[in-house]
Each structure stands twice: as C-alpha cells, then as structure tokens.
Amino acid sequence: MSTTNRTRARTESATQQWAFGLTAFAGVMLLLTGLLSIFRGIMAIAQDDVFVTTPNYVFKFDLTSWGWIHLALGVIAVIVSFGLFQPALWARIAGVAIAGLVIIANFLSLPYYPVWSVVMVAVSGFIIWALCVVRRDDDTAMAP
C-alpha cells in the first residue's frame, strides 16, 4: 500500500515538474519572441529601406504599418510572458492567442523578410504546443 502511494506521489511530482518546465519554456520563448518582434518593429518604423519590398504581393501594407503591428505584438508578448512564469490559466490562454497572432503577422509579412518570418512562425508554433500540452489539472497543481 505505501509503495503505491510513493509511486503515485513520484509520478505526480514528475508530472508537475514536466508541466512547470513546459510553461517556463513557453514563457522564455514568448519573451524572446516579443523582444525580437519589438526590435523588428522598431527597425521597420525607423528605416523601412532595410526590408525588401515585393510589389505584387496580395497582402500589401506599408512597411511602417508592419513595424507598428510587430511592435504592438511584441509588447503584448513580453507582458504575457511575465504572466507565464506564474501558474495562471489566463496567461496560457493569452500566450496561445498572442503566439497565434505572431504567426499570422509573420506569415503576412513573409515577402519582406522570408527566412526570419519562417523562423518566427516555427518558434511561435513551439510556444503554442508547449502551452497546450499542459493539462489544466497540472496547471492548478503547480500553484503554491
């Protein structure tokens, strides 16, 4: 009987550590994504001649507009990433939402900076995966 309880406690502890590790991973990656989006936004606002323009792209925006979009998404991503370091369900939901918006923004700005946009889409996909794989009961078990 006591062996079963110890095994269950060890399994629950490993599950909690796994959940905390994935949430911390997502928080750090979202923080980095946010900071890089802020820098990309500032770069597009300050000097839009750094980016290559594609004249026949369907989703055509002014590069300054793209700069403001990336800057706003970056600021929100940084704020949400700090919430992910606490076991808060709202932060996980907001993290998935902001990572999804980052994916959309990078997809739409693909012709302006193609390699970097693909990298950011992949990183944001990992963030969404890390935040969605943790179950709700694991999230509440991490709370102090």
Side-chain angles (χ1 to χ4, degrees):
M1 201 59 128
S2 79
T3 306
T4 305
N5 289 338
R6 274 188 264 159
T7 305
R8 185 180 314 144
R10 201 174 314 152
T11 303
E12 288 175 4
S13 175
T15 303
Q16 290 172 5
Q17 290 173 353
W18 177 254
F20 179 74
L22 282 175
T23 306
F25 167 78
V28 169
M29 293 305 289
L30 191 62
L31 177 67
L32 291 173
T33 300
L35 289 174
L36 293 173
S37 291
I38 288 171
F39 294 144
R40 183 178 181 182
I42 290 171
M43 185 173 57
I45 293 168
Q47 282 192 330
D48 56 354
D49 59 344
V50 173
F51 293 89
V52 176
T53 57
T54 306
N56 296 326
Y57 189 53
V58 175
F59 305 107
K60 187 169 182 166
F61 288 108
D62 180 34
L63 287 176
T64 305
S65 300
W66 277 120
W68 284 108
I69 290 169
H70 285 286
L71 182 65
L73 286 174
V75 168
I76 295 169
V78 167
I79 292 168
V80 170
S81 71
F82 288 122
L84 286 173
F85 294 118
Q86 306 296 321
L89 182 62
W90 70 266
R92 285 182 37 212
I93 293 170
V96 169
I98 196 68
L101 290 174
V102 168
I103 287 174
I104 293 169
N106 279 290
F107 174 75
L108 294 177
S109 65
L110 198 60
Y112 302 112
Y113 224 179
V115 175
W116 186 249
S117 293
V118 170
V119 168
M120 294 303 287
V121 166
V123 169
S124 297
F126 280 121
I127 292 168
I128 291 173
W129 172 80
L131 292 175
C132 290
V133 76
V134 178
R135 295 187 317 264
R136 181 172 169 78
D137 56 343
D138 293 340
D139 193 30
T140 56
M142 291 186 318

